[in-house]
Amino acid sequence: MGVTYKYFGAPDGATAARVPISMRPEQLGGDELGMGGLFTKIKPETVAAMVLTGIEGIPLHKVPPLELVVLHPDYAVVKLPMTVVDPLRGVGEESVGAAAFIWSTVPDRGGPRDAFNVYQLLHEWQDFSHRLHEAGHQPYCLVWP
């Protein structure tokens, strides 16, 4: 099995902490909080590093930590820094493509990822960052096994 990551937007930590946890990932529609969500098997730390190193050029050791909002035996909710989603709103195709290529060369547990898959993922994140901005929300991630 594996861990599922459900990224969503919320106006604040208290609201994010109330995300329905009784539902399984396939039951969460993405609009629990009026915000289209994003499902992925990619860890929030990896997404943060992908954006900040690939697009912003920040050294990996300077990527800010995630903020723990809720820790429960069955799930956790973490807040991603806005510096992870904000840079995606203003970049063009060339920057997204370059970041995807750079990140595709970084080995993870499964080996390097295909650059096109990373490119598609970054575009999903770009759309997500626009929806967050329009709603005035912060990025959060619901993590559960």
Short mmCIF file of all heavy atoms in Angstrom, two decimals, residues 63-110:
data_model
loop_
_atom_site.label_atom_id
_atom_site.label_comp_id
_atom_site.label_asym_id
_atom_site.label_seq_id
_atom_site.Cartn_x
_atom_site.Cartn_y
_atom_site.Cartn_z
N VAL A 63 15.43 24.77 1.95
CA VAL A 63 13.99 24.62 1.76
C VAL A 63 13.33 24.65 3.15
O VAL A 63 13.73 23.89 4.03
CB VAL A 63 13.66 23.30 1.01
CG1 VAL A 63 12.17 23.04 0.98
CG2 VAL A 63 14.21 23.36 -0.41
N PRO A 64 12.35 25.54 3.37
CA PRO A 64 11.76 25.66 4.70
C PRO A 64 10.97 24.40 5.09
O PRO A 64 10.43 23.70 4.23
CB PRO A 64 10.83 26.87 4.59
CG PRO A 64 10.57 27.03 3.15
CD PRO A 64 11.75 26.47 2.41
N PRO A 65 10.90 24.14 6.38
CA PRO A 65 10.16 22.95 6.85
C PRO A 65 8.65 23.15 6.74
O PRO A 65 8.16 24.28 6.64
CB PRO A 65 10.58 22.83 8.31
CG PRO A 65 10.91 24.23 8.73
CD PRO A 65 11.47 24.89 7.48
N LEU A 66 7.94 22.04 6.76
CA LEU A 66 6.49 22.07 6.77
C LEU A 66 6.03 22.32 8.20
O LEU A 66 6.71 21.99 9.15
CB LEU A 66 5.94 20.74 6.27
CG LEU A 66 6.45 20.29 4.91
CD1 LEU A 66 5.91 18.91 4.59
CD2 LEU A 66 6.04 21.27 3.84
N GLU A 67 4.85 22.91 8.33
CA GLU A 67 4.30 23.18 9.66
C GLU A 67 3.23 22.14 9.97
O GLU A 67 2.28 21.97 9.21
CB GLU A 67 3.67 24.58 9.65
CG GLU A 67 3.05 24.98 10.96
CD GLU A 67 2.36 26.33 10.85
OE1 GLU A 67 2.89 27.23 10.15
OE2 GLU A 67 1.29 26.48 11.45
N LEU A 68 3.39 21.45 11.09
CA LEU A 68 2.43 20.44 11.50
C LEU A 68 1.21 21.13 12.10
O LEU A 68 1.32 21.94 13.02
CB LEU A 68 3.06 19.49 12.53
CG LEU A 68 2.20 18.33 12.99
CD1 LEU A 68 1.90 17.38 11.83
CD2 LEU A 68 2.92 17.58 14.11
N VAL A 69 0.03 20.84 11.56
CA VAL A 69 -1.22 21.43 12.04
C VAL A 69 -1.93 20.46 12.97
O VAL A 69 -2.38 20.84 14.04
CB VAL A 69 -2.15 21.81 10.85
CG1 VAL A 69 -3.48 22.36 11.34
CG2 VAL A 69 -1.47 22.84 9.95
N VAL A 70 -2.02 19.19 12.55
CA VAL A 70 -2.67 18.15 13.34
C VAL A 70 -1.85 16.87 13.22
O VAL A 70 -1.46 16.49 12.12
CB VAL A 70 -4.10 17.85 12.82
CG1 VAL A 70 -4.72 16.69 13.58
CG2 VAL A 70 -4.99 19.07 12.90
N LEU A 71 -1.61 16.23 14.35
CA LEU A 71 -0.99 14.91 14.34
C LEU A 71 -1.90 13.98 15.11
O LEU A 71 -2.17 14.19 16.29
CB LEU A 71 0.40 14.93 14.98
CG LEU A 71 1.13 13.59 15.01
CD1 LEU A 71 1.33 13.04 13.60
CD2 LEU A 71 2.47 13.74 15.70
N HIS A 72 -2.42 12.99 14.41
CA HIS A 72 -3.36 12.04 14.97
C HIS A 72 -2.82 10.66 14.63
O HIS A 72 -2.09 10.52 13.66
CB HIS A 72 -4.74 12.28 14.30
CG HIS A 72 -5.83 11.43 14.82
ND1 HIS A 72 -6.07 10.16 14.34
CD2 HIS A 72 -6.76 11.66 15.78
CE1 HIS A 72 -7.09 9.64 14.97
NE2 HIS A 72 -7.54 10.53 15.85
N PRO A 73 -3.13 9.62 15.41
CA PRO A 73 -2.61 8.29 15.07
C PRO A 73 -2.99 7.82 13.66
O PRO A 73 -2.27 7.03 13.06
CB PRO A 73 -3.24 7.37 16.12
CG PRO A 73 -3.56 8.27 17.27
CD PRO A 73 -3.86 9.62 16.68
N ASP A 74 -4.11 8.30 13.12
CA ASP A 74 -4.57 7.84 11.81
C ASP A 74 -4.27 8.78 10.65
O ASP A 74 -4.43 8.41 9.50
CB ASP A 74 -6.09 7.60 11.84
CG ASP A 74 -6.47 6.52 12.84
OD1 ASP A 74 -5.69 5.57 13.00
OD2 ASP A 74 -7.54 6.66 13.46
N TYR A 75 -3.87 10.01 10.92
CA TYR A 75 -3.65 10.99 9.85
C TYR A 75 -2.85 12.17 10.39
O TYR A 75 -2.63 12.30 11.59
CB TYR A 75 -4.97 11.49 9.28
CG TYR A 75 -5.78 12.29 10.28
CD1 TYR A 75 -5.68 13.67 10.35
CD2 TYR A 75 -6.62 11.65 11.19
CE1 TYR A 75 -6.40 14.39 11.29
CE2 TYR A 75 -7.35 12.36 12.12
CZ TYR A 75 -7.23 13.73 12.17
OH TYR A 75 -7.93 14.45 13.10
N ALA A 76 -2.43 13.01 9.48
CA ALA A 76 -1.77 14.27 9.85
C ALA A 76 -2.18 15.33 8.83
O ALA A 76 -2.53 15.00 7.69
CB ALA A 76 -0.25 14.11 9.83
N VAL A 77 -2.17 16.57 9.26
CA VAL A 77 -2.38 17.70 8.35
C VAL A 77 -1.16 18.60 8.51
O VAL A 77 -0.79 18.95 9.63
CB VAL A 77 -3.67 18.49 8.69
CG1 VAL A 77 -3.79 19.73 7.80
CG2 VAL A 77 -4.90 17.61 8.53
N VAL A 78 -0.52 18.92 7.38
CA VAL A 78 0.63 19.81 7.41
C VAL A 78 0.35 21.02 6.52
O VAL A 78 -0.41 20.94 5.57
CB VAL A 78 1.93 19.11 6.95
CG1 VAL A 78 2.33 18.01 7.91
CG2 VAL A 78 1.81 18.59 5.54
N LYS A 79 0.99 22.13 6.87
CA LYS A 79 0.86 23.35 6.08
C LYS A 79 2.16 23.54 5.29
O LYS A 79 3.25 23.43 5.83
CB LYS A 79 0.65 24.56 6.99
CG LYS A 79 0.54 25.86 6.23
CD LYS A 79 0.37 27.03 7.19
CE LYS A 79 0.32 28.32 6.40
NZ LYS A 79 0.36 29.48 7.28
N LEU A 80 2.02 23.79 4.00
CA LEU A 80 3.17 24.07 3.16
C LEU A 80 3.42 25.57 3.18
O LEU A 80 2.48 26.35 3.23
CB LEU A 80 2.92 23.63 1.72
CG LEU A 80 2.98 22.14 1.46
CD1 LEU A 80 1.70 21.45 1.88
CD2 LEU A 80 3.25 21.89 0.00
N PRO A 81 4.68 25.98 3.12
CA PRO A 81 4.94 27.42 3.07
C PRO A 81 4.40 28.01 1.76
O PRO A 81 4.43 27.34 0.72
CB PRO A 81 6.46 27.53 3.12
CG PRO A 81 7.00 26.15 3.07
CD PRO A 81 5.88 25.17 3.11
N MET A 82 3.93 29.24 1.80
CA MET A 82 3.42 29.88 0.58
C MET A 82 4.51 30.00 -0.46
O MET A 82 4.24 30.07 -1.65
CB MET A 82 2.84 31.26 0.90
CG MET A 82 1.48 31.22 1.55
SD MET A 82 0.24 30.26 0.65
CE MET A 82 -0.06 31.30 -0.78
N THR A 83 5.77 29.98 -0.03
CA THR A 83 6.88 30.06 -0.98
C THR A 83 6.92 28.85 -1.90
O THR A 83 7.64 28.85 -2.90
CB THR A 83 8.23 30.17 -0.24
OG1 THR A 83 8.34 29.10 0.70
CG2 THR A 83 8.37 31.50 0.46
N VAL A 84 6.14 27.82 -1.58
CA VAL A 84 6.11 26.63 -2.42
C VAL A 84 5.11 26.80 -3.57
O VAL A 84 5.35 26.31 -4.67
CB VAL A 84 5.76 25.38 -1.60
CG1 VAL A 84 5.55 24.17 -2.48
CG2 VAL A 84 6.85 25.10 -0.58
N VAL A 85 4.02 27.48 -3.35
CA VAL A 85 3.01 27.61 -4.41
C VAL A 85 3.06 28.95 -5.12
O VAL A 85 2.78 29.01 -6.31
CB VAL A 85 1.57 27.34 -3.88
CG1 VAL A 85 1.41 25.89 -3.52
CG2 VAL A 85 1.23 28.23 -2.74
N ASP A 86 3.44 30.01 -4.45
CA ASP A 86 3.47 31.33 -5.07
C ASP A 86 4.36 31.42 -6.31
O ASP A 86 3.95 32.01 -7.31
CB ASP A 86 3.87 32.41 -4.06
CG ASP A 86 2.72 32.81 -3.15
OD1 ASP A 86 1.56 32.43 -3.45
OD2 ASP A 86 2.97 33.50 -2.15
N PRO A 87 5.58 30.84 -6.29
CA PRO A 87 6.44 30.97 -7.47
C PRO A 87 5.83 30.37 -8.74
O PRO A 87 6.16 30.80 -9.84
CB PRO A 87 7.71 30.21 -7.09
CG PRO A 87 7.71 30.18 -5.61
CD PRO A 87 6.27 30.16 -5.20
N LEU A 88 4.96 29.41 -8.60
CA LEU A 88 4.39 28.75 -9.78
C LEU A 88 3.42 29.63 -10.56
O LEU A 88 3.21 29.42 -11.74
CB LEU A 88 3.65 27.47 -9.35
CG LEU A 88 4.57 26.33 -8.95
CD1 LEU A 88 3.78 25.24 -8.27
CD2 LEU A 88 5.29 25.79 -10.18
N ARG A 89 2.83 30.62 -9.90
CA ARG A 89 1.84 31.45 -10.58
C ARG A 89 2.44 32.32 -11.66
O ARG A 89 1.81 32.61 -12.66
CB ARG A 89 1.09 32.31 -9.57
CG ARG A 89 0.11 31.53 -8.75
CD ARG A 89 -0.94 32.39 -8.08
NE ARG A 89 -0.50 33.71 -7.71
CZ ARG A 89 0.08 34.03 -6.55
NH1 ARG A 89 0.29 33.11 -5.64
NH2 ARG A 89 0.44 35.26 -6.29
N GLY A 90 3.69 32.76 -11.46
CA GLY A 90 4.26 33.71 -12.40
C GLY A 90 5.21 33.14 -13.44
O GLY A 90 5.71 33.89 -14.26
N VAL A 91 5.48 31.84 -13.41
CA VAL A 91 6.46 31.29 -14.35
C VAL A 91 5.81 30.80 -15.64
O VAL A 91 4.65 30.42 -15.65
CB VAL A 91 7.29 30.15 -13.71
CG1 VAL A 91 8.04 30.64 -12.51
CG2 VAL A 91 6.44 28.96 -13.38
N GLY A 92 6.60 30.84 -16.69
CA GLY A 92 6.11 30.40 -18.00
C GLY A 92 6.53 28.98 -18.31
O GLY A 92 7.15 28.29 -17.49
N GLU A 93 6.19 28.57 -19.52
CA GLU A 93 6.48 27.21 -19.98
C GLU A 93 7.95 26.85 -19.90
O GLU A 93 8.31 25.75 -19.53
CB GLU A 93 6.01 27.05 -21.44
CG GLU A 93 4.53 26.94 -21.59
CD GLU A 93 3.97 25.69 -20.94
OE1 GLU A 93 4.48 24.59 -21.18
OE2 GLU A 93 3.01 25.84 -20.17
N GLU A 94 8.80 27.80 -20.25
CA GLU A 94 10.23 27.52 -20.27
C GLU A 94 10.74 27.17 -18.88
O GLU A 94 11.49 26.22 -18.70
CB GLU A 94 10.99 28.73 -20.82
CG GLU A 94 12.44 28.46 -21.11
CD GLU A 94 13.10 29.63 -21.81
OE1 GLU A 94 12.62 30.05 -22.87
OE2 GLU A 94 14.10 30.13 -21.26
N SER A 95 10.31 27.94 -17.88
CA SER A 95 10.74 27.67 -16.50
C SER A 95 10.19 26.35 -15.99
O SER A 95 10.88 25.61 -15.29
CB SER A 95 10.29 28.80 -15.57
OG SER A 95 10.93 30.00 -15.92
N VAL A 96 8.93 26.05 -16.31
CA VAL A 96 8.33 24.79 -15.88
C VAL A 96 9.07 23.63 -16.54
O VAL A 96 9.40 22.64 -15.88
CB VAL A 96 6.82 24.74 -16.20
CG1 VAL A 96 6.24 23.36 -15.91
CG2 VAL A 96 6.07 25.80 -15.39
N GLY A 97 9.37 23.76 -17.82
CA GLY A 97 10.10 22.71 -18.53
C GLY A 97 11.49 22.51 -17.97
O GLY A 97 11.95 21.37 -17.79
N ALA A 98 12.19 23.61 -17.67
CA ALA A 98 13.55 23.51 -17.12
C ALA A 98 13.52 22.87 -15.74
O ALA A 98 14.34 21.99 -15.43
CB ALA A 98 14.18 24.90 -17.05
N ALA A 99 12.56 23.27 -14.91
CA ALA A 99 12.44 22.68 -13.58
C ALA A 99 12.13 21.19 -13.66
O ALA A 99 12.67 20.39 -12.90
CB ALA A 99 11.36 23.40 -12.77
N ALA A 100 11.27 20.82 -14.60
CA ALA A 100 10.92 19.41 -14.78
C ALA A 100 12.15 18.61 -15.19
O ALA A 100 12.38 17.50 -14.68
CB ALA A 100 9.82 19.25 -15.82
N PHE A 101 12.94 19.16 -16.09
CA PHE A 101 14.15 18.45 -16.52
C PHE A 101 15.12 18.30 -15.35
O PHE A 101 15.63 17.20 -15.10
CB PHE A 101 14.83 19.18 -17.67
CG PHE A 101 16.13 18.54 -18.04
CD1 PHE A 101 16.15 17.36 -18.76
CD2 PHE A 101 17.33 19.12 -17.65
CE1 PHE A 101 17.35 16.74 -19.08
CE2 PHE A 101 18.54 18.50 -17.96
CZ PHE A 101 18.55 17.32 -18.68
N ILE A 102 15.34 19.39 -14.62
CA ILE A 102 16.26 19.33 -13.48
C ILE A 102 15.78 18.30 -12.48
O ILE A 102 16.54 17.45 -12.01
CB ILE A 102 16.37 20.72 -12.79
CG1 ILE A 102 17.11 21.69 -13.72
CG2 ILE A 102 17.06 20.62 -11.44
CD1 ILE A 102 16.97 23.15 -13.31
N TRP A 103 14.48 18.36 -12.13
CA TRP A 103 13.98 17.45 -11.11
C TRP A 103 13.96 16.00 -11.59
O TRP A 103 14.11 15.08 -10.79
CB TRP A 103 12.60 17.87 -10.63
CG TRP A 103 12.29 17.19 -9.35
CD1 TRP A 103 11.48 16.11 -9.16
CD2 TRP A 103 12.85 17.47 -8.07
NE1 TRP A 103 11.50 15.71 -7.86
CE2 TRP A 103 12.33 16.52 -7.16
CE3 TRP A 103 13.75 18.42 -7.59
CZ2 TRP A 103 12.68 16.51 -5.81
CZ3 TRP A 103 14.08 18.41 -6.26
CH2 TRP A 103 13.55 17.47 -5.39
N SER A 104 13.83 15.79 -12.88
CA SER A 104 13.79 14.41 -13.40
C SER A 104 15.13 13.71 -13.22
O SER A 104 15.20 12.48 -13.24
CB SER A 104 13.39 14.40 -14.88
OG SER A 104 14.45 14.89 -15.68
N THR A 105 16.19 14.46 -13.01
CA THR A 105 17.51 13.85 -12.83
C THR A 105 17.80 13.53 -11.37
O THR A 105 18.80 12.91 -11.07
CB THR A 105 18.62 14.79 -13.35
OG1 THR A 105 18.64 15.98 -12.56
CG2 THR A 105 18.40 15.12 -14.82
N VAL A 106 16.94 13.97 -10.46
CA VAL A 106 17.14 13.72 -9.04
C VAL A 106 16.59 12.34 -8.71
O VAL A 106 15.40 12.10 -8.88
CB VAL A 106 16.42 14.79 -8.17
CG1 VAL A 106 16.56 14.46 -6.69
CG2 VAL A 106 16.97 16.17 -8.48
N PRO A 107 17.46 11.43 -8.26
CA PRO A 107 16.95 10.09 -7.97
C PRO A 107 16.10 10.09 -6.70
O PRO A 107 16.40 10.78 -5.74
CB PRO A 107 18.22 9.26 -7.78
CG PRO A 107 19.29 10.24 -7.46
CD PRO A 107 18.88 11.56 -8.05
N ASP A 108 15.02 9.36 -6.74
CA ASP A 108 14.23 9.14 -5.53
C ASP A 108 14.21 7.64 -5.31
O ASP A 108 14.96 6.90 -5.94
CB ASP A 108 12.83 9.75 -5.64
CG ASP A 108 12.03 9.22 -6.82
OD1 ASP A 108 12.35 8.12 -7.32
OD2 ASP A 108 11.07 9.89 -7.24
N ARG A 109 13.36 7.18 -4.43
CA ARG A 109 13.35 5.74 -4.12
C ARG A 109 13.11 4.88 -5.36
O ARG A 109 13.60 3.78 -5.45
CB ARG A 109 12.29 5.45 -3.07
CG ARG A 109 12.79 5.75 -1.69
CD ARG A 109 11.77 5.35 -0.67
NE ARG A 109 11.55 6.54 0.14
CZ ARG A 109 10.51 6.76 0.88
NH1 ARG A 109 9.54 5.90 0.93
NH2 ARG A 109 10.42 7.85 1.58
N GLY A 110 12.35 5.39 -6.30
CA GLY A 110 12.05 4.62 -7.49
C GLY A 110 12.99 4.93 -8.65
O GLY A 110 12.76 4.49 -9.76
#
